[in-house]
Short mmCIF file of all heavy atoms in Angstrom, two decimals:
data_model
loop_
_atom_site.label_atom_id
_atom_site.label_comp_id
_atom_site.label_asym_id
_atom_site.label_seq_id
_atom_site.Cartn_x
_atom_site.Cartn_y
_atom_site.Cartn_z
N VAL A 25 0.83 -1.21 0.00
CA VAL A 25 0.00 0.00 0.00
C VAL A 25 0.86 1.25 0.00
O VAL A 25 0.62 2.21 -0.76
CB VAL A 25 -0.95 -0.01 1.22
CG1 VAL A 25 -1.59 1.36 1.42
CG2 VAL A 25 -2.02 -1.07 1.04
N ASN A 26 1.91 1.25 0.83
CA ASN A 26 2.76 2.44 0.92
C ASN A 26 3.68 2.58 -0.29
O ASN A 26 4.05 3.70 -0.66
CB ASN A 26 3.57 2.39 2.21
CG ASN A 26 2.72 2.69 3.43
OD1 ASN A 26 2.32 3.83 3.67
ND2 ASN A 26 2.44 1.66 4.22
N GLU A 27 4.05 1.47 -0.91
CA GLU A 27 4.81 1.56 -2.16
C GLU A 27 3.95 2.18 -3.27
O GLU A 27 4.44 2.99 -4.07
CB GLU A 27 5.30 0.17 -2.57
CG GLU A 27 6.45 -0.34 -1.72
CD GLU A 27 6.85 -1.77 -2.08
OE1 GLU A 27 6.06 -2.44 -2.77
OE2 GLU A 27 7.94 -2.20 -1.65
N GLN A 28 2.67 1.79 -3.30
CA GLN A 28 1.77 2.42 -4.27
C GLN A 28 1.60 3.91 -3.97
O GLN A 28 1.53 4.74 -4.89
CB GLN A 28 0.42 1.71 -4.25
CG GLN A 28 0.48 0.27 -4.76
CD GLN A 28 -0.83 -0.47 -4.52
OE1 GLN A 28 -1.77 0.06 -3.94
NE2 GLN A 28 -0.88 -1.72 -5.00
N ALA A 29 1.52 4.23 -2.66
CA ALA A 29 1.41 5.64 -2.29
C ALA A 29 2.65 6.41 -2.72
O ALA A 29 2.57 7.59 -3.15
CB ALA A 29 1.20 5.76 -0.78
N LEU A 30 3.83 5.78 -2.60
CA LEU A 30 5.07 6.44 -3.03
C LEU A 30 5.06 6.66 -4.54
O LEU A 30 5.50 7.72 -5.02
CB LEU A 30 6.27 5.59 -2.62
CG LEU A 30 7.64 6.11 -3.07
CD1 LEU A 30 7.90 7.50 -2.49
CD2 LEU A 30 8.74 5.14 -2.64
N GLU A 31 4.57 5.69 -5.29
CA GLU A 31 4.50 5.86 -6.75
C GLU A 31 3.57 7.02 -7.11
O GLU A 31 3.89 7.83 -8.00
CB GLU A 31 4.00 4.56 -7.39
CG GLU A 31 4.98 3.41 -7.28
CD GLU A 31 4.39 2.11 -7.84
OE1 GLU A 31 3.22 2.15 -8.29
OE2 GLU A 31 5.09 1.09 -7.82
N ARG A 32 2.43 7.13 -6.43
CA ARG A 32 1.51 8.22 -6.72
C ARG A 32 2.13 9.57 -6.32
O ARG A 32 2.01 10.57 -7.05
CB ARG A 32 0.19 8.02 -5.98
CG ARG A 32 -0.63 6.85 -6.50
CD ARG A 32 -2.03 6.86 -5.91
NE ARG A 32 -2.01 6.68 -4.46
CZ ARG A 32 -2.11 5.51 -3.86
NH1 ARG A 32 -2.19 4.39 -4.58
NH2 ARG A 32 -2.09 5.43 -2.54
N ALA A 33 2.82 9.58 -5.17
CA ALA A 33 3.45 10.83 -4.72
C ALA A 33 4.57 11.25 -5.67
O ALA A 33 4.74 12.45 -5.95
CB ALA A 33 3.99 10.65 -3.31
N ALA A 34 5.33 10.27 -6.17
CA ALA A 34 6.40 10.61 -7.12
C ALA A 34 5.83 11.14 -8.42
O ALA A 34 6.39 12.09 -9.03
CB ALA A 34 7.25 9.36 -7.37
N LEU A 35 4.71 10.55 -8.87
CA LEU A 35 4.07 11.04 -10.09
C LEU A 35 3.55 12.47 -9.90
O LEU A 35 3.73 13.34 -10.79
CB LEU A 35 2.91 10.12 -10.47
CG LEU A 35 2.10 10.52 -11.71
CD1 LEU A 35 2.99 10.56 -12.96
CD2 LEU A 35 0.93 9.56 -11.93
N ASN A 36 2.99 12.72 -8.73
CA ASN A 36 2.50 14.07 -8.45
C ASN A 36 3.66 15.07 -8.36
O ASN A 36 3.52 16.25 -8.77
CB ASN A 36 1.70 14.10 -7.16
CG ASN A 36 0.42 13.28 -7.27
OD1 ASN A 36 -0.10 13.09 -8.37
ND2 ASN A 36 -0.07 12.78 -6.14
N LEU A 37 4.79 14.62 -7.85
CA LEU A 37 5.95 15.50 -7.76
C LEU A 37 6.44 15.88 -9.14
O LEU A 37 6.79 17.05 -9.40
CB LEU A 37 7.06 14.81 -6.95
CG LEU A 37 8.38 15.59 -6.84
CD1 LEU A 37 8.15 16.96 -6.18
CD2 LEU A 37 9.41 14.78 -6.05
N ARG A 38 6.45 14.90 -10.04
CA ARG A 38 6.88 15.22 -11.41
C ARG A 38 5.92 16.22 -12.07
O ARG A 38 6.34 17.15 -12.77
CB ARG A 38 6.97 13.93 -12.24
CG ARG A 38 8.15 13.04 -11.86
CD ARG A 38 8.39 11.98 -12.93
NE ARG A 38 7.25 11.05 -13.03
CZ ARG A 38 7.13 9.94 -12.33
NH1 ARG A 38 8.08 9.62 -11.44
NH2 ARG A 38 6.10 9.16 -12.49
N SER A 39 4.62 16.02 -11.81
CA SER A 39 3.65 16.96 -12.37
C SER A 39 3.82 18.35 -11.78
O SER A 39 3.76 19.38 -12.50
CB SER A 39 2.22 16.45 -12.12
OG SER A 39 2.01 15.20 -12.74
N ALA A 40 4.05 18.42 -10.47
CA ALA A 40 4.22 19.71 -9.81
C ALA A 40 5.45 20.43 -10.34
O ALA A 40 5.43 21.67 -10.56
CB ALA A 40 4.32 19.52 -8.30
N LYS A 41 6.55 19.71 -10.55
CA LYS A 41 7.75 20.33 -11.10
C LYS A 41 7.51 20.85 -12.50
O LYS A 41 8.00 21.94 -12.89
CB LYS A 41 8.90 19.33 -11.10
CG LYS A 41 9.46 19.03 -9.70
CD LYS A 41 10.62 18.05 -9.79
CE LYS A 41 11.23 17.81 -8.39
NZ LYS A 41 12.36 16.83 -8.46
N GLY A 42 6.75 20.07 -13.28
CA GLY A 42 6.45 20.53 -14.64
C GLY A 42 5.63 21.80 -14.64
O GLY A 42 5.90 22.74 -15.42
N PHE A 43 4.62 21.85 -13.77
CA PHE A 43 3.80 23.05 -13.69
C PHE A 43 4.61 24.26 -13.20
O PHE A 43 4.40 25.39 -13.64
CB PHE A 43 2.60 22.83 -12.76
CG PHE A 43 1.58 21.88 -13.34
CD1 PHE A 43 0.92 20.97 -12.51
CD2 PHE A 43 1.27 21.89 -14.68
CE1 PHE A 43 -0.01 20.10 -13.03
CE2 PHE A 43 0.32 21.02 -15.21
CZ PHE A 43 -0.32 20.12 -14.38
N PHE A 44 5.53 23.99 -12.27
CA PHE A 44 6.36 25.09 -11.75
C PHE A 44 7.30 25.63 -12.82
O PHE A 44 7.52 26.84 -12.93
CB PHE A 44 7.15 24.61 -10.54
CG PHE A 44 8.16 25.60 -10.04
CD1 PHE A 44 7.77 26.77 -9.41
CD2 PHE A 44 9.53 25.36 -10.22
CE1 PHE A 44 8.71 27.69 -8.96
CE2 PHE A 44 10.47 26.27 -9.78
CZ PHE A 44 10.06 27.44 -9.14
N GLU A 45 7.83 24.71 -13.62
CA GLU A 45 8.77 25.12 -14.65
C GLU A 45 8.09 25.98 -15.72
O GLU A 45 8.71 26.90 -16.28
CB GLU A 45 9.41 23.89 -15.29
CG GLU A 45 10.39 23.18 -14.35
CD GLU A 45 10.89 21.87 -14.95
OE1 GLU A 45 10.43 21.52 -16.06
OE2 GLU A 45 11.74 21.22 -14.29
N VAL A 46 6.81 25.70 -16.01
CA VAL A 46 6.11 26.50 -17.02
C VAL A 46 5.42 27.70 -16.38
O VAL A 46 4.79 28.51 -17.08
CB VAL A 46 5.09 25.65 -17.79
CG1 VAL A 46 5.79 24.52 -18.52
CG2 VAL A 46 4.02 25.10 -16.85
N GLY A 47 5.52 27.82 -15.03
CA GLY A 47 5.00 28.98 -14.34
C GLY A 47 3.53 28.95 -14.00
O GLY A 47 2.97 29.98 -13.60
N THR A 48 2.89 27.76 -14.07
CA THR A 48 1.46 27.68 -13.74
C THR A 48 1.21 27.37 -12.27
O THR A 48 0.07 27.49 -11.80
CB THR A 48 0.78 26.61 -14.60
OG1 THR A 48 1.42 25.35 -14.38
CG2 THR A 48 0.85 26.99 -16.08
N GLN A 49 2.24 26.91 -11.55
CA GLN A 49 2.10 26.59 -10.13
C GLN A 49 3.29 27.19 -9.38
O GLN A 49 4.40 27.26 -9.91
CB GLN A 49 2.06 25.07 -9.88
CG GLN A 49 0.83 24.37 -10.43
CD GLN A 49 -0.42 24.66 -9.63
OE1 GLN A 49 -0.36 25.28 -8.55
NE2 GLN A 49 -1.57 24.26 -10.15
N PRO A 50 3.06 27.61 -8.12
CA PRO A 50 4.16 28.21 -7.34
C PRO A 50 5.11 27.12 -6.80
O PRO A 50 4.82 25.92 -6.86
CB PRO A 50 3.43 28.93 -6.21
CG PRO A 50 2.17 28.16 -6.02
CD PRO A 50 1.77 27.70 -7.39
N LYS A 51 6.22 27.61 -6.25
CA LYS A 51 7.23 26.71 -5.67
C LYS A 51 6.65 25.90 -4.50
O LYS A 51 7.07 24.75 -4.27
CB LYS A 51 8.43 27.54 -5.20
CG LYS A 51 9.54 26.74 -4.52
CD LYS A 51 10.19 25.75 -5.47
CE LYS A 51 11.36 25.05 -4.80
NZ LYS A 51 11.99 24.05 -5.67
N SER A 52 5.71 26.44 -3.76
CA SER A 52 5.13 25.74 -2.61
C SER A 52 4.45 24.44 -3.01
O SER A 52 4.39 23.48 -2.24
CB SER A 52 4.13 26.64 -1.89
OG SER A 52 3.07 27.01 -2.77
N VAL A 53 3.95 24.38 -4.24
CA VAL A 53 3.33 23.13 -4.73
C VAL A 53 4.38 22.04 -4.84
O VAL A 53 4.15 20.89 -4.45
CB VAL A 53 2.62 23.38 -6.07
CG1 VAL A 53 2.12 22.06 -6.66
CG2 VAL A 53 1.48 24.36 -5.89
N VAL A 54 5.55 22.38 -5.36
CA VAL A 54 6.64 21.40 -5.47
C VAL A 54 7.09 20.97 -4.09
O VAL A 54 7.32 19.78 -3.83
CB VAL A 54 7.81 22.00 -6.27
CG1 VAL A 54 8.98 21.02 -6.33
CG2 VAL A 54 7.36 22.38 -7.67
N THR A 55 7.21 21.94 -3.18
CA THR A 55 7.64 21.61 -1.82
C THR A 55 6.66 20.66 -1.15
O THR A 55 7.06 19.69 -0.49
CB THR A 55 7.80 22.90 -0.99
OG1 THR A 55 8.73 23.77 -1.65
CG2 THR A 55 8.29 22.57 0.40
N ARG A 56 5.38 20.90 -1.30
CA ARG A 56 4.38 20.02 -0.69
C ARG A 56 4.44 18.62 -1.30
O ARG A 56 4.32 17.61 -0.58
CB ARG A 56 2.98 20.61 -0.88
CG ARG A 56 1.86 19.77 -0.27
CD ARG A 56 2.10 19.55 1.22
NE ARG A 56 1.14 18.64 1.78
CZ ARG A 56 0.02 19.03 2.40
NH1 ARG A 56 -0.27 20.33 2.46
NH2 ARG A 56 -0.80 18.15 2.90
N ALA A 57 4.65 18.52 -2.59
CA ALA A 57 4.77 17.22 -3.25
C ALA A 57 6.01 16.47 -2.75
O ALA A 57 6.00 15.24 -2.58
CB ALA A 57 4.81 17.39 -4.76
N GLU A 58 7.10 17.22 -2.53
CA GLU A 58 8.32 16.58 -2.00
C GLU A 58 8.09 16.05 -0.59
O GLU A 58 8.61 14.98 -0.22
CB GLU A 58 9.46 17.59 -2.03
CG GLU A 58 9.95 17.93 -3.42
CD GLU A 58 10.99 19.04 -3.42
OE1 GLU A 58 11.08 19.76 -2.39
OE2 GLU A 58 11.71 19.19 -4.41
N VAL A 59 7.33 16.79 0.21
CA VAL A 59 6.99 16.32 1.56
C VAL A 59 6.19 15.02 1.49
O VAL A 59 6.42 14.08 2.26
CB VAL A 59 6.23 17.41 2.33
CG1 VAL A 59 5.68 16.84 3.65
CG2 VAL A 59 7.13 18.60 2.61
#
């Protein structure tokens, strides 16, 4: 269950970084995904 949660969190982190790089999401979104 927690490995699946890690996969979902890692996918969300990649999405958050992508949005931050194109300027659609702030840095705090990436930080929360990393947490």
Side-chain angles (χ1 to χ4, degrees):
V25 167
N26 286 288
E27 286 176 345
Q28 293 171 358
L30 177 60
E31 292 176 359
R32 291 191 296 268
L35 178 60
N36 295 335
L37 177 59
R38 288 195 295 270
S39 299
K41 288 181 177 179
F43 290 142
F44 173 70
E45 289 173 358
V46 299
T48 58
Q49 293 287 352
K51 178 64 175 178
S52 61
V53 173
V54 177
T55 303
R56 181 57 186 265
E58 289 174 343
V59 171

